Amino acid sequence: LSAMVGQKDAIATVMSMMEDKKGFPHALMLTGPSGCGKTTLARIIKTILKCGDQDYAEQNAADFRGIDSIREIRSRMGLAPISGQSRIYHIDEAHQLTKDAQNAFLKMLEDTPDHVYFILSSTDANKIIKTIHTRCTEIKLAALRPKELEELVKKTVKNFKEKIPCPLTEEVVDRIVEAADGSARKAMVILGQVLM
């Protein structure tokens, strides 16, 4: 969590969940604009919950949006973890699930085994049915501020300085930050293009 740039409120929420005697919620909803760190936070939560790589399933609902995808998860979710203490199903762009798929998913949330956790990520959470909202603990992420994007770019350059042919000027960093428009992912893509 300490390595994540920005998102102080989201990080504070996750830390309070770690300290909660009731344990970590079994259904999380990560909401916020594209490229703000939802997938990164999901992978950090994977580490917190001691979920091995083989037990972490990440699906993009833009590609797998129907009820069959949800049925497949349901058929496997009772299996014990292979390489860790938990199994996590992360559904990215969850608002793109069909209504039938969302209703099928709702039934899984009502009967989740102790070792299973669901993470829904969405840039448009209003399209997710209310009954799923009420069963999920929402963590809101925001677009990164210019200072945070600048920190991210400079931190990345510092970590890979031996592989970077020439130092970046402040002007180039400023232009990357401006073009990224609050998106950490976009900033990293542009930085990669600049350094190629």
Side-chain angles (χ1 to χ4, degrees), residues 149 173-183 186-187 190:
L149 283 172
V173 173
D174 288 345
R175 288 192 178 185
I176 291 171
V177 168
E178 185 180 349
D181 194 28
S183 169
K186 198 170 179 183
I190 297 168

PDB file of all heavy atoms in Angstrom, residues 149 173-183 186-187 190:
ATOM      1  N   LEU A 149       0.713  12.570 -10.265  1.00  0.00           N
ATOM      2  CA  LEU A 149       1.197  12.019 -11.533  1.00  0.00           C
ATOM      3  C   LEU A 149       2.677  12.338 -11.734  1.00  0.00           C
ATOM      4  O   LEU A 149       3.452  11.495 -12.196  1.00  0.00           O
ATOM      5  CB  LEU A 149       0.377  12.563 -12.700  1.00  0.00           C
ATOM      6  CG  LEU A 149      -0.999  11.940 -12.906  1.00  0.00           C
ATOM      7  CD1 LEU A 149      -1.782  12.714 -13.959  1.00  0.00           C
ATOM      8  CD2 LEU A 149      -0.891  10.482 -13.309  1.00  0.00           C
ATOM      9  N   VAL A 173       8.342  15.995 -18.364  1.00  0.00           N
ATOM     10  CA  VAL A 173       7.515  15.457 -17.278  1.00  0.00           C
ATOM     11  C   VAL A 173       6.183  16.201 -17.214  1.00  0.00           C
ATOM     12  O   VAL A 173       5.117  15.586 -17.111  1.00  0.00           O
ATOM     13  CB  VAL A 173       8.243  15.536 -15.917  1.00  0.00           C
ATOM     14  CG1 VAL A 173       7.300  15.143 -14.778  1.00  0.00           C
ATOM     15  CG2 VAL A 173       9.478  14.641 -15.911  1.00  0.00           C
ATOM     16  N   ASP A 174       6.236  17.530 -17.307  1.00  0.00           N
ATOM     17  CA  ASP A 174       5.014  18.346 -17.268  1.00  0.00           C
ATOM     18  C   ASP A 174       4.067  17.986 -18.411  1.00  0.00           C
ATOM     19  O   ASP A 174       2.857  17.919 -18.225  1.00  0.00           O
ATOM     20  CB  ASP A 174       5.360  19.840 -17.345  1.00  0.00           C
ATOM     21  CG  ASP A 174       6.002  20.356 -16.060  1.00  0.00           C
ATOM     22  OD1 ASP A 174       5.919  19.655 -15.039  1.00  0.00           O
ATOM     23  OD2 ASP A 174       6.591  21.460 -16.095  1.00  0.00           O
ATOM     24  N   ARG A 175       4.643  17.745 -19.584  1.00  0.00           N
ATOM     25  CA  ARG A 175       3.806  17.402 -20.741  1.00  0.00           C
ATOM     26  C   ARG A 175       3.171  16.022 -20.583  1.00  0.00           C
ATOM     27  O   ARG A 175       2.034  15.806 -20.989  1.00  0.00           O
ATOM     28  CB  ARG A 175       4.639  17.466 -22.030  1.00  0.00           C
ATOM     29  CG  ARG A 175       4.973  18.887 -22.445  1.00  0.00           C
ATOM     30  CD  ARG A 175       5.527  18.949 -23.839  1.00  0.00           C
ATOM     31  NE  ARG A 175       5.787  20.319 -24.233  1.00  0.00           N
ATOM     32  CZ  ARG A 175       6.189  20.662 -25.444  1.00  0.00           C
ATOM     33  NH1 ARG A 175       6.387  19.745 -26.368  1.00  0.00           N
ATOM     34  NH2 ARG A 175       6.404  21.927 -25.746  1.00  0.00           N
ATOM     35  N   ILE A 176       3.910  15.094 -20.011  1.00  0.00           N
ATOM     36  CA  ILE A 176       3.362  13.749 -19.747  1.00  0.00           C
ATOM     37  C   ILE A 176       2.193  13.860 -18.779  1.00  0.00           C
ATOM     38  O   ILE A 176       1.128  13.275 -18.995  1.00  0.00           O
ATOM     39  CB  ILE A 176       4.447  12.802 -19.188  1.00  0.00           C
ATOM     40  CG1 ILE A 176       5.490  12.489 -20.261  1.00  0.00           C
ATOM     41  CG2 ILE A 176       3.814  11.510 -18.672  1.00  0.00           C
ATOM     42  CD1 ILE A 176       6.708  11.744 -19.759  1.00  0.00           C
ATOM     43  N   VAL A 177       2.389  14.623 -17.718  1.00  0.00           N
ATOM     44  CA  VAL A 177       1.352  14.811 -16.698  1.00  0.00           C
ATOM     45  C   VAL A 177       0.095  15.437 -17.305  1.00  0.00           C
ATOM     46  O   VAL A 177      -1.025  14.986 -17.061  1.00  0.00           O
ATOM     47  CB  VAL A 177       1.885  15.677 -15.524  1.00  0.00           C
ATOM     48  CG1 VAL A 177       0.749  16.126 -14.614  1.00  0.00           C
ATOM     49  CG2 VAL A 177       2.931  14.906 -14.736  1.00  0.00           C
ATOM     50  N   GLU A 178       0.296  16.444 -18.129  1.00  0.00           N
ATOM     51  CA  GLU A 178      -0.834  17.135 -18.761  1.00  0.00           C
ATOM     52  C   GLU A 178      -1.599  16.197 -19.696  1.00  0.00           C
ATOM     53  O   GLU A 178      -2.821  16.136 -19.671  1.00  0.00           O
ATOM     54  CB  GLU A 178      -0.326  18.345 -19.537  1.00  0.00           C
ATOM     55  CG  GLU A 178      -1.440  19.202 -20.123  1.00  0.00           C
ATOM     56  CD  GLU A 178      -0.926  20.412 -20.888  1.00  0.00           C
ATOM     57  OE1 GLU A 178       0.278  20.715 -20.802  1.00  0.00           O
ATOM     58  OE2 GLU A 178      -1.737  21.045 -21.584  1.00  0.00           O
ATOM     59  N   ALA A 179      -0.860  15.428 -20.503  1.00  0.00           N
ATOM     60  CA  ALA A 179      -1.488  14.525 -21.466  1.00  0.00           C
ATOM     61  C   ALA A 179      -2.190  13.353 -20.781  1.00  0.00           C
ATOM     62  O   ALA A 179      -3.189  12.830 -21.281  1.00  0.00           O
ATOM     63  CB  ALA A 179      -0.451  14.000 -22.452  1.00  0.00           C
ATOM     64  N   ALA A 180      -1.688  12.954 -19.614  1.00  0.00           N
ATOM     65  CA  ALA A 180      -2.269  11.807 -18.894  1.00  0.00           C
ATOM     66  C   ALA A 180      -3.649  12.111 -18.335  1.00  0.00           C
ATOM     67  O   ALA A 180      -4.467  11.206 -18.129  1.00  0.00           O
ATOM     68  CB  ALA A 180      -1.330  11.373 -17.780  1.00  0.00           C
ATOM     69  N   ASP A 181      -3.917  13.381 -18.048  1.00  0.00           N
ATOM     70  CA  ASP A 181      -5.246  13.813 -17.607  1.00  0.00           C
ATOM     71  C   ASP A 181      -5.794  12.985 -16.436  1.00  0.00           C
ATOM     72  O   ASP A 181      -6.913  12.484 -16.468  1.00  0.00           O
ATOM     73  CB  ASP A 181      -6.219  13.758 -18.793  1.00  0.00           C
ATOM     74  CG  ASP A 181      -7.529  14.493 -18.517  1.00  0.00           C
ATOM     75  OD1 ASP A 181      -7.510  15.446 -17.706  1.00  0.00           O
ATOM     76  OD2 ASP A 181      -8.573  14.094 -19.081  1.00  0.00           O
ATOM     77  N   GLY A 182      -4.972  12.817 -15.414  1.00  0.00           N
ATOM     78  CA  GLY A 182      -5.428  12.141 -14.197  1.00  0.00           C
ATOM     79  C   GLY A 182      -5.287  10.634 -14.197  1.00  0.00           C
ATOM     80  O   GLY A 182      -5.563   9.982 -13.195  1.00  0.00           O
ATOM     81  N   SER A 183      -4.844  10.044 -15.315  1.00  0.00           N
ATOM     82  CA  SER A 183      -4.750   8.590 -15.430  1.00  0.00           C
ATOM     83  C   SER A 183      -3.312   8.110 -15.248  1.00  0.00           C
ATOM     84  O   SER A 183      -2.432   8.434 -16.054  1.00  0.00           O
ATOM     85  CB  SER A 183      -5.274   8.132 -16.798  1.00  0.00           C
ATOM     86  OG  SER A 183      -4.968   6.770 -17.014  1.00  0.00           O
ATOM     87  N   LYS A 186      -2.303   5.917 -18.249  1.00  0.00           N
ATOM     88  CA  LYS A 186      -1.970   6.705 -19.445  1.00  0.00           C
ATOM     89  C   LYS A 186      -0.595   7.350 -19.292  1.00  0.00           C
ATOM     90  O   LYS A 186       0.177   7.413 -20.244  1.00  0.00           O
ATOM     91  CB  LYS A 186      -3.043   7.771 -19.667  1.00  0.00           C
ATOM     92  CG  LYS A 186      -3.058   8.366 -21.060  1.00  0.00           C
ATOM     93  CD  LYS A 186      -4.285   9.234 -21.265  1.00  0.00           C
ATOM     94  CE  LYS A 186      -4.305   9.851 -22.641  1.00  0.00           C
ATOM     95  NZ  LYS A 186      -5.469  10.753 -22.826  1.00  0.00           N
ATOM     96  N   ALA A 187      -0.274   7.820 -18.095  1.00  0.00           N
ATOM     97  CA  ALA A 187       1.033   8.422 -17.843  1.00  0.00           C
ATOM     98  C   ALA A 187       2.152   7.423 -18.101  1.00  0.00           C
ATOM     99  O   ALA A 187       3.179   7.757 -18.707  1.00  0.00           O
ATOM    100  CB  ALA A 187       1.111   8.950 -16.415  1.00  0.00           C
ATOM    101  N   ILE A 190       2.481   6.811 -21.931  1.00  0.00           N
ATOM    102  CA  ILE A 190       3.164   7.945 -22.584  1.00  0.00           C
ATOM    103  C   ILE A 190       4.638   7.947 -22.229  1.00  0.00           C
ATOM    104  O   ILE A 190       5.510   8.156 -23.090  1.00  0.00           O
ATOM    105  CB  ILE A 190       2.506   9.281 -22.186  1.00  0.00           C
ATOM    106  CG1 ILE A 190       1.054   9.328 -22.672  1.00  0.00           C
ATOM    107  CG2 ILE A 190       3.294  10.460 -22.774  1.00  0.00           C
ATOM    108  CD1 ILE A 190       0.245  10.482 -22.089  1.00  0.00           C
TER     109      ILE A 190
END
